Amino acid sequence: MSSSSANKVPVVVFDSPQAAAKALAAEFSELIRSRASEGKTAVLGLATGSTPLPFYAELIRLHKEEELSFQNVVTFNLDEYAGLPREHKESYWHFMHSNLFDHVDILAENIHLPSGTVTEAEIPTHCAEYEQAIVDAGGLDFQILGIGRTGHIGFNEPGSPKNSLTRAIELDQITREDAAPAFDGIENVPTSAITMGCGTILTARKIVLMAWGENKAAIVKEAVQGPVNDIVSASFLQEHDDARFFLDTPAASAL
Ligand code: F6R
């Protein structure tokens, strides 16, 4: 645990993203196995982007080498780009299947992501149904997060209220610039997304936000040590009773 007394949320610093991913995957594995032994499901909130990749690689290894089954796992992803069909190479549906779901024994009906192709008129109903599906599944047991350079969790860009729910959101210019290389140019990056709200995320019983690399150090410092406000939505985690930050040394370098 990082010892800085200025930290307002627990921080754990690891030598590498791989070491952090291994520790987090061990916690997930324990939850999944203990629920399976009780005949119950484990409800996991998942993220996309480059940050969780070592974590998903470790979950796949646990499945292939240590018999971790995902048959009792139910997942809800944080977000999806508006306008992207599932088969688009940058859709989060595609990302999750190629980086995790296609390599483990999760049941297709237990996978949930917001849709990128609902019409504008359908969005409010779609979002309300997403919220209800989380409640019907028993709530989120464990949510993982990355952090954007705007301080977003999910796609809760600056100005997202603490009690916000799943909804459509316009993406910040910085977020779109960060996504531009993957889309071969900012003109191809969607301008909006559907995201779980800050309020949705904060209902999770346990939360771990992961961040790697020096380019996250400044925003991590704001989220961990700064005031709690909607300018940095990750700062709301300071008010959750079981949220931790898992960082590598460069991401923790400003603390
Ligand atoms: C992804 C998500 C985002 C990312 C964040 C960091 O589902 O909701 O909040 O976690 O933008 O992205 P990376 O990991 O690519 O730096």
Side-chain angles (χ1 to χ4, degrees):
M1 203 96 33
S2 158
S3 57
S4 173
S5 58
N7 295 347
K8 298 199 263 176
V9 60
V11 170
V12 192
V13 183
F14 295 85
D15 286 342
S16 65
Q18 286 70 26
K22 207 171 158 62
L24 184 57
E27 290 192 33
F28 265 57
S29 165
E30 205 180 302
L31 171 70
I32 294 167
R33 288 186 207 269
S34 86
R35 285 295 166 78
S37 72
E38 298 165 354
K40 292 185 182 158
T41 57
V43 184
L44 310 180
L46 301 179
T48 57
S50 59
T51 306
L53 287 173
F55 169 68
Y56 294 146
E58 176 63 9
L59 287 182
I60 294 167
R61 192 196 67 74
L62 288 171
H63 172 66
K64 293 198 188 304
E65 296 176 14
E66 298 188 24
E67 292 174 358
L68 177 64
S69 171
F70 286 73
Q71 298 247 338
N72 69 321
V73 169
V74 178
T75 63
F76 289 89
N77 264 84
L78 286 165
D79 39 23
E80 180 59 281
Y81 286 116
L84 297 195
R86 287 177 170 181
E87 52 284 358
H88 191 287
K89 77 171 182 34
E90 291 304 323
S91 81
Y92 286 165
W93 175 273
H94 184 265
F95 175 100
M96 287 308 304
H97 283 75
S98 57
N99 289 297
L100 180 64
F101 299 148
D102 288 350
H103 309 284
V104 296
D105 61 344
I106 190 167
L107 305 176
E109 63 266 32
N110 287 347
I111 295 170
H112 304 87
L113 283 95
S115 168
T117 53
V118 282
T119 65
E120 208 156 326
E122 292 165 336
I123 286 176
T125 307
H126 179 65
C127 294
E129 286 172 354
Y130 202 69
E131 289 285 330
Q132 191 58 47
I134 294 172
V135 172
D136 292 347
L140 299 164
D141 287 308
F142 205 145
Q143 175 72 54
I144 63 155
L145 301 169
I147 184 169
R149 286 193 303 128
T150 59
H152 69 212
I153 47 175
F155 274 138
N156 290 286
E157 300 290 20
S160 296
K162 187 180 176 193
N163 62 0
S164 51
L165 298 178
T166 303
R167 67 205 189 286
I169 188 143
E170 203 178 308
L171 296 175
D172 191 278
Q173 178 69 12
I174 294 175
T175 300
R176 294 185 65 237
E177 281 167 14
D178 284 348
F183 282 88
D184 298 321
I186 194 159
E187 65 282 7
N188 303 318
V189 180
T191 53
S192 62
I194 292 182
T195 184
M196 275 188 203
C198 297
T200 322
I201 293 167
L202 293 169
T203 64
R205 289 182 269 278
K206 208 178 253 297
I207 302 176
V208 167
L209 183 151
M210 294 176 275
W212 328 131
E214 211 178 329
N215 72 335
K216 296 285 174 76
I219 195 66
V220 162
K221 180 181 167 71
E222 283 191 55
V224 169
Q225 299 183 345
V228 177
N229 60 36
D230 66 12
I231 299 168
V232 175
S233 65
S235 69
F236 293 135
L237 298 175
Q238 294 177 22
E239 295 180 341
H240 190 276
D241 61 15
D242 194 351
R244 288 165 291 161
F245 278 54
F246 277 21
L247 308 175
D248 68 355
T249 314
S253 59
L255 298 179

